[in-house]
Amino acid sequence: MKMKKIPIAIIFYLLFSFSLCPNESTVFAVSAPPSKEVQSDEETITKKDLAALKKQGVVAKDVNVHQLNQDQGSPDDSIDMITAEDDLRNYGLRQNGQDEMVSDEKPHTVRQLLGKPYPGTDIIPKKGDILVTSTGALNGLIGHAGIVINEKNYASIPGFKKHPNIDSIQSWFRYSANTKVIRINHENKADLAGDWAHDYVKGNPKARYSITMSIQSLDPTYCSKIVWQAYAKTGDAVGHAKLTIKAPYGFLKKRSYKTVTPKVIVNEGRKIGGLNF
């Protein structure tokens, strides 16, 4: 029996399709090893996954599964999207004539001239805004976080074997379309946090990437640790701790904030798994 010849155009189409479907996830901006185990809501990273991450040097040897997954919480604890019923001025916002949220800035101010709005909005980034993405993510432990340091840039660390850096907000949304932006209702605390993050990156350009329980140390670090330290070392907005791990998804939980009220001001993306982005 003769085999039918497959048109070469179909072959190229199949090769191109597979190239667009990478089999990769991100844990705190690091490649996470695949696991055949079924993961429950309470245990997003399995012992097998954790062992592989430790072998790579991504996670410290004394960290256990519970410590990595401790920021998991009830959906009822999720931060609310900002609405007209909130005190918008405390968040640097107002409603325009079309009832849309816009930055509460006078025309032609330095912030308005320098800043570019978040995608799909008329909201200019502000120092201290927290960026959390679910791109390539699974139930929150896996993901990425950054903190805005001015109208154009944010501070973070890209991932394993990388160092703290400052990058453009435009670049963040280019590669992390599924993003929530959180803003607190205290401009001074947000400004202090943004300044601390800027100074940290400038003062620690060679800090290593590793997920450890030492939340106060400056080196090693990871993305969401930089965000947490920016607030914890300059005030009481997120409380204080000595030994813990702070996951990116934790910043979407009300319980992570102590003396401020956070709101989601930008919700860019789609629903992935159990997370609405």
Side-chain angles (χ1 to χ4, degrees):
M1 182 170 116
K2 292 183 179 180
M3 296 287 292
K4 290 184 179 180
K5 291 184 179 180
I6 301 176
I8 192 168
I10 295 179
I11 295 175
F12 279 120
Y13 172 79
L14 292 173
L15 290 173
F16 179 72
S17 298
F18 283 120
S19 70
L20 293 179
C21 301
N23 182 23
E24 181 176 303
S25 294
T26 305
V27 50
F28 295 5
V30 192
S31 294
S35 172
K36 294 181 181 179
E37 299 178 38
V38 176
Q39 297 183 359
S40 68
D41 292 338
E42 292 76 21
E43 191 170 356
T44 61
I45 293 294
T46 67
K47 291 181 179 179
K48 182 179 179 180
D49 292 338
L50 179 56
L53 290 170
K54 288 182 177 181
K55 187 175 182 179
Q56 294 175 24
V58 175
V59 179
K61 293 182 179 180
D62 60 342
V63 174
N64 60 46
V65 170
H66 172 73
Q67 291 163 341
L68 270 178
N69 294 325
Q70 63 186 343
D71 268 341
Q72 284 297 104
S74 167
D76 295 337
D77 189 41
S78 296
I79 295 172
D80 299 321
M81 190 79 187
I82 197 161
T83 69
E85 297 178 359
D86 294 308
D87 191 343
L88 298 181
R89 293 211 168 199
N90 285 341
Y91 296 90
L93 300 173
R94 63 179 176 82
Q95 280 190 302
N96 62 13
Q98 290 74 45
D99 293 333
E100 299 169 329
M101 295 292 176
V102 299
S103 289
D104 188 21
E105 298 280 346
K106 294 180 180 179
H108 310 302
T109 61
V110 174
R111 193 193 305 273
Q112 284 280 17
L113 293 173
L114 291 180
K116 185 175 181 180
Y118 288 118
T121 77
D122 286 317
I123 299 176
I124 301 293
K126 287 189 69 173
K127 194 183 299 182
D129 285 354
I130 299 173
L131 311 175
V132 180
T133 179
S134 70
T135 298
L138 175 65
N139 292 338
L141 178 64
I142 302 167
H144 192 40
I147 180 169
V148 173
I149 60 171
N150 56 40
E151 292 78 17
K152 289 187 174 183
N153 303 302
Y154 73 94
S156 189
I157 183 169
F160 187 48
K161 294 186 178 179
K162 303 293 184 180
H163 303 291
N165 73 342
I166 291 173
D167 201 353
S168 71
I169 295 171
Q170 184 177 1
S171 175
W172 173 284
F173 280 92
R174 184 183 302 125
Y175 298 106
S176 304
N178 301 303
T179 292
K180 288 183 187 286
V181 180
I182 299 94
R183 181 175 292 178
I184 64 170
N185 61 338
H186 200 297
E187 186 174 17
N188 184 54
K189 292 180 180 181
D191 284 347
L192 290 173
D195 288 339
W196 186 94
H198 171 274
D199 294 344
Y200 169 77
V201 172
K202 293 298 183 181
N204 299 269
K206 297 299 182 183
R208 300 158 296 142
Y209 184 102
S210 182
I211 300 173
T212 72
M213 288 291 291
S214 181
I215 195 66
Q216 291 293 336
S217 66
L218 300 180
D219 183 7
T221 191
Y222 51 92
C223 63
S224 42
K225 179 178 178 180
I226 293 175
V227 178
W228 186 87
Q229 286 185 331
Y231 275 100
K233 288 184 176 292
T234 58
D236 54 7
V238 296
H240 301 282
K242 291 184 178 179
L243 295 173
T244 188
I245 292 174
K246 295 297 179 180
Y249 190 48
F251 292 112
L252 301 180
K253 299 295 184 181
K254 295 175 184 176
R255 64 181 179 183
S256 296
Y257 302 85
K258 308 305 178 185
T259 61
V260 296
T261 302
K263 293 288 181 178
V264 175
I265 62 167
V266 177
N267 189 8
E268 177 74 11
R270 60 188 185 277
K271 184 173 182 178
I272 293 183
L275 305 180
N276 287 294
F277 271 84

Coordinates of all heavy atoms in Angstrom, one line a residue, residues 1-53:
M1 N 0.8 -1.2 0.0 CA 0.0 0.0 0.0 C 0.9 1.2 0.0 O 1.8 1.4 0.8 CB -0.9 0.0 1.3 CG -1.8 1.2 1.3 SD -3.0 0.9 2.7 CE -2.5 2.3 3.7
K2 N 0.6 2.2 -0.9 CA 1.4 3.4 -1.0 C 1.0 4.5 0.0 O -0.2 4.7 0.2 CB 1.4 3.9 -2.4 CG 2.0 3.0 -3.5 CD 2.0 3.7 -4.8 CE 2.6 2.8 -5.9 NZ 2.6 3.4 -7.2
M3 N 2.0 5.1 0.6 CA 1.7 6.2 1.5 C 1.5 7.5 0.7 O 2.2 7.8 -0.3 CB 2.9 6.4 2.5 CG 3.2 5.2 3.4 SD 2.0 5.1 4.7 CE 2.4 6.5 5.6
K4 N 0.5 8.2 1.1 CA 0.2 9.5 0.4 C 1.3 10.5 0.8 O 1.7 10.6 2.0 CB -1.1 10.0 0.8 CG -2.3 9.2 0.2 CD -3.6 9.9 0.5 CE -4.7 9.1 -0.1 NZ -6.0 9.7 0.2
K5 N 1.7 11.3 -0.1 CA 2.7 12.3 0.2 C 2.1 13.5 1.0 O 1.0 13.9 0.6 CB 3.3 12.8 -1.1 CG 4.2 11.8 -1.8 CD 4.9 12.5 -3.0 CE 5.8 11.5 -3.7 NZ 6.5 12.1 -4.9
I6 N 2.8 13.9 2.0 CA 2.2 15.0 2.8 C 2.8 16.3 2.2 O 4.0 16.5 2.1 CB 2.7 14.9 4.3 CG1 2.2 13.6 4.9 CG2 2.2 16.1 5.1 CD1 2.7 13.4 6.3
P7 N 1.9 17.2 1.8 CA 2.3 18.5 1.3 C 3.3 19.2 2.2 O 3.1 19.2 3.4 CB 1.0 19.3 1.1 CG 0.0 18.3 1.1 CD 0.4 17.2 2.0
I8 N 4.4 19.8 1.6 CA 5.4 20.4 2.4 C 4.9 21.6 3.2 O 5.4 21.9 4.3 CB 6.6 20.8 1.5 CG1 7.8 21.3 2.4 CG2 6.2 22.0 0.6 CD1 9.1 21.4 1.6
A9 N 3.8 22.2 2.7 CA 3.3 23.4 3.4 C 2.7 23.0 4.8 O 2.8 23.7 5.8 CB 2.1 24.0 2.6
I10 N 2.1 21.7 4.8 CA 1.5 21.2 6.1 C 2.6 20.9 7.1 O 2.5 21.2 8.3 CB 0.7 20.0 5.8 CG1 -0.5 20.3 5.0 CG2 0.3 19.3 7.1 CD1 -1.4 19.1 4.6
I11 N 3.8 20.4 6.6 CA 4.9 20.1 7.5 C 5.4 21.4 8.1 O 5.6 21.5 9.3 CB 6.0 19.4 6.7 CG1 5.6 18.1 6.2 CG2 7.3 19.3 7.5 CD1 6.6 17.4 5.3
F12 N 5.6 22.5 7.3 CA 6.0 23.7 7.9 C 5.0 24.3 8.9 O 5.4 24.9 9.9 CB 6.3 24.7 6.7 CG 7.6 24.6 6.0 CD1 7.6 24.3 4.7 CD2 8.8 24.7 6.7 CE1 8.8 24.1 4.0 CE2 10.0 24.5 6.1 CZ 10.0 24.2 4.7
Y13 N 3.8 24.1 8.6 CA 2.7 24.6 9.5 C 2.8 23.9 10.9 O 2.7 24.6 11.9 CB 1.3 24.4 8.9 CG 0.2 24.7 9.9 CD1 -0.2 26.0 10.1 CD2 -0.4 23.7 10.5 CE1 -1.2 26.3 11.0 CE2 -1.5 24.0 11.4 CZ -1.8 25.3 11.6 OH -2.8 25.5 12.5
L14 N 3.0 22.6 10.8 CA 3.1 21.8 12.1 C 4.3 22.2 12.9 O 4.3 22.4 14.1 CB 3.1 20.3 11.8 CG 1.8 19.8 11.2 CD1 2.0 18.3 10.8 CD2 0.7 19.9 12.3
L15 N 5.4 22.4 12.2 CA 6.7 22.8 12.9 C 6.5 24.2 13.5 O 6.9 24.4 14.6 CB 7.8 22.8 11.9 CG 8.3 21.4 11.4 CD1 9.4 21.6 10.3 CD2 8.9 20.6 12.6
F16 N 5.9 25.1 12.8 CA 5.7 26.4 13.3 C 4.8 26.4 14.5 O 5.0 27.1 15.5 CB 5.1 27.3 12.2 CG 4.9 28.7 12.6 CD1 5.9 29.6 12.9 CD2 3.6 29.2 12.8 CE1 5.7 30.9 13.3 CE2 3.3 30.5 13.2 CZ 4.4 31.3 13.4
S17 N 3.7 25.6 14.4 CA 2.7 25.5 15.5 C 3.4 25.0 16.8 O 3.2 25.6 17.9 CB 1.6 24.6 15.2 OG 0.9 25.1 14.0
F18 N 4.2 24.0 16.7 CA 4.9 23.4 17.9 C 5.9 24.5 18.5 O 6.1 24.5 19.7 CB 5.6 22.1 17.6 CG 4.7 21.0 17.5 CD1 4.6 20.2 16.3 CD2 3.9 20.6 18.5 CE1 3.7 19.2 16.2 CE2 3.0 19.5 18.4 CZ 2.9 18.8 17.3
S19 N 6.5 25.3 17.6 CA 7.4 26.2 18.1 C 6.8 27.3 19.0 O 7.4 28.0 19.7 CB 8.2 26.9 16.9 OG 7.3 27.7 16.2
L20 N 5.5 27.5 18.8 CA 4.7 28.5 19.5 C 4.2 28.0 20.8 O 3.5 28.7 21.5 CB 3.6 29.1 18.7 CG 4.0 29.9 17.4 CD1 2.8 30.3 16.7 CD2 4.9 31.1 17.8
C21 N 4.4 26.8 21.2 CA 3.8 26.2 22.4 C 4.9 25.6 23.3 O 5.1 24.4 23.5 CB 2.9 25.0 22.0 SG 1.6 25.5 20.9
P22 N 5.7 26.5 23.9 CA 6.8 26.1 24.8 C 6.2 25.4 26.1 O 5.2 25.9 26.6 CB 7.5 27.4 25.2 CG 6.5 28.4 25.0 CD 5.6 28.0 23.9
N23 N 6.8 24.3 26.5 CA 6.4 23.6 27.7 C 7.2 24.0 28.9 O 8.0 23.4 29.4 CB 6.6 22.1 27.4 CG 6.0 21.3 28.6 OD1 5.2 21.7 29.4 ND2 6.5 20.0 28.8
E24 N 6.8 25.2 29.4 CA 7.6 25.8 30.4 C 6.8 26.7 31.4 O 5.9 27.4 30.9 CB 8.7 26.7 29.8 CG 9.6 27.3 30.8 CD 10.8 28.1 30.1 OE1 11.5 27.5 29.3 OE2 10.9 29.3 30.4
S25 N 7.0 26.6 32.7 CA 6.3 27.4 33.6 C 7.4 28.3 34.3 O 8.6 28.1 34.1 CB 5.6 26.6 34.7 OG 4.5 25.9 34.0
T26 N 6.9 29.2 35.2 CA 7.9 30.1 35.8 C 7.6 30.1 37.3 O 6.5 30.4 37.7 CB 7.8 31.5 35.3 OG1 8.0 31.5 33.9 CG2 8.8 32.4 35.9
V27 N 8.6 29.8 38.1 CA 8.4 29.9 39.6 C 9.3 31.1 40.1 O 10.5 31.0 40.0 CB 8.8 28.6 40.3 CG1 10.1 28.1 39.9 CG2 8.7 28.8 41.8
F28 N 8.6 32.1 40.5 CA 9.3 33.3 40.9 C 10.3 33.8 39.8 O 11.4 34.1 40.0 CB 10.2 33.1 42.2 CG 9.3 32.8 43.4 CD1 8.0 32.7 43.3 CD2 9.9 32.7 44.7 CE1 7.2 32.4 44.5 CE2 9.2 32.4 45.8 CZ 7.8 32.3 45.7
A29 N 9.8 33.7 38.6 CA 10.6 34.0 37.4 C 11.7 33.0 37.1 O 12.8 33.4 36.6 CB 11.2 35.4 37.5
V30 N 11.5 31.8 37.5 CA 12.5 30.7 37.2 C 11.8 29.5 36.6 O 10.7 29.2 36.9 CB 13.2 30.2 38.5 CG1 14.4 29.4 38.2 CG2 13.6 31.4 39.4
S31 N 12.5 28.8 35.7 CA 11.9 27.6 35.1 C 11.6 26.6 36.2 O 12.5 26.2 36.9 CB 12.9 27.0 34.1 OG 13.0 27.9 33.0
A32 N 10.4 26.1 36.2 CA 10.0 25.1 37.2 C 10.0 23.7 36.5 O 9.5 23.6 35.4 CB 8.6 25.4 37.7
P33 N 10.5 22.7 37.2 CA 10.5 21.4 36.6 C 9.1 20.8 36.5 O 8.3 21.0 37.4 CB 11.4 20.6 37.6 CG 11.2 21.3 38.9 CD 11.1 22.7 38.5
P34 N 8.8 20.1 35.4 CA 7.5 19.5 35.2 C 7.3 18.4 36.2 O 8.3 17.7 36.5 CB 7.4 19.0 33.8 CG 8.9 18.8 33.4 CD 9.6 19.9 34.2
S35 N 6.1 18.1 36.7 CA 5.8 17.0 37.6 C 4.6 16.2 37.1 O 3.6 16.8 36.6 CB 5.6 17.6 39.0 OG 5.1 16.5 39.8
K36 N 4.7 14.9 37.3 CA 3.5 14.1 36.9 C 2.5 13.9 38.0 O 1.5 13.4 37.9 CB 4.1 12.7 36.5 CG 4.9 12.7 35.2 CD 5.4 11.3 34.9 CE 6.2 11.3 33.6 NZ 6.7 10.0 33.3
E37 N 2.9 14.4 39.2 CA 2.0 14.3 40.4 C 0.9 15.3 40.2 O 1.0 16.4 39.6 CB 2.8 14.7 41.7 CG 3.9 13.7 41.9 CD 4.7 14.1 43.2 OE1 4.0 14.6 44.1 OE2 5.9 14.0 43.2
V38 N -0.3 15.0 40.7 CA -1.4 15.9 40.7 C -1.3 16.9 41.8 O -1.1 16.5 43.0 CB -2.8 15.1 40.9 CG1 -3.9 16.0 40.9 CG2 -2.9 14.1 39.7
Q39 N -1.3 18.2 41.5 CA -1.1 19.2 42.5 C -2.5 19.7 43.0 O -3.3 20.1 42.2 CB -0.3 20.3 41.9 CG 1.1 19.9 41.5 CD 1.9 21.0 41.0 OE1 1.5 22.1 40.9 NE2 3.2 20.7 40.6
S40 N -2.6 19.8 44.3 CA -3.9 20.3 44.9 C -3.8 21.8 45.1 O -2.7 22.4 44.9 CB -4.1 19.6 46.3 OG -3.1 20.0 47.2
D41 N -4.9 22.4 45.4 CA -4.9 23.8 45.7 C -4.0 24.2 46.8 O -3.4 25.3 46.9 CB -6.3 24.3 45.9 CG -7.2 24.2 44.7 OD1 -6.6 24.2 43.6 OD2 -8.4 24.1 44.9
E42 N -3.9 23.3 47.8 CA -3.1 23.6 49.0 C -1.6 23.4 48.8 O -0.8 23.9 49.5 CB -3.5 22.7 50.2 CG -4.9 23.0 50.7 CD -6.0 22.5 49.8 OE1 -5.7 21.6 49.0 OE2 -7.1 23.0 49.8
E43 N -1.2 22.6 47.7 CA 0.2 22.3 47.5 C 0.5 22.5 46.1 O 0.5 21.6 45.3 CB 0.5 20.9 48.0 CG 2.0 20.6 48.0 CD 2.2 19.2 48.7 OE1 1.3 18.6 49.2 OE2 3.4 18.8 48.7
T44 N 0.8 23.7 45.7 CA 1.0 24.0 44.3 C 2.4 23.5 43.8 O 2.6 23.3 42.6 CB 0.9 25.5 44.0 OG1 1.9 26.2 44.8 CG2 -0.4 26.0 44.4
I45 N 3.4 23.4 44.6 CA 4.7 22.9 44.3 C 4.8 21.6 45.0 O 4.7 21.5 46.3 CB 5.8 23.8 44.7 CG1 5.7 25.1 43.8 CG2 7.2 23.2 44.5 CD1 6.0 24.8 42.3
T46 N 5.1 20.5 44.3 CA 5.2 19.2 45.0 C 6.6 19.0 45.5 O 7.6 19.7 45.2 CB 4.9 18.0 44.0 OG1 6.0 18.0 43.0 CG2 3.6 18.2 43.3
K47 N 6.8 17.9 46.3 CA 8.1 17.6 46.9 C 9.1 17.3 45.8 O 10.3 17.6 45.8 CB 8.0 16.4 47.9 CG 7.3 16.8 49.2 CD 7.2 15.6 50.1 CE 6.4 16.0 51.4 NZ 6.3 14.9 52.3
K48 N 8.6 16.6 44.7 CA 9.4 16.3 43.6 C 9.9 17.5 42.9 O 11.1 17.6 42.5 CB 8.6 15.3 42.6 CG 9.5 14.9 41.4 CD 8.6 14.0 40.6 CE 9.4 13.5 39.3 NZ 8.6 12.6 38.5
D49 N 9.0 18.5 42.7 CA 9.4 19.7 42.0 C 10.4 20.5 42.9 O 11.4 21.0 42.4 CB 8.2 20.6 41.8 CG 7.2 20.0 40.8 OD1 7.6 19.2 40.0 OD2 6.0 20.4 40.9
L50 N 10.2 20.5 44.2 CA 11.0 21.2 45.1 C 12.4 20.6 45.1 O 13.4 21.3 45.1 CB 10.5 21.2 46.5 CG 11.3 21.9 47.6 CD1 11.6 23.4 47.2 CD2 10.6 21.8 48.9
A51 N 12.5 19.3 45.1 CA 13.8 18.6 45.0 C 14.6 19.0 43.8 O 15.8 19.3 43.8 CB 13.6 17.1 45.1
A52 N 13.9 19.1 42.7 CA 14.6 19.5 41.4 C 15.1 21.0 41.5 O 16.2 21.3 41.0 CB 13.6 19.3 40.2
L53 N 14.3 21.8 42.1 CA 14.6 23.2 42.2 C 15.8 23.4 43.1 O 16.7 24.2 42.9 CB 13.4 24.0 42.7 CG 12.3 24.2 41.7 CD1 11.1 24.8 42.4 CD2 12.7 25.1 40.6

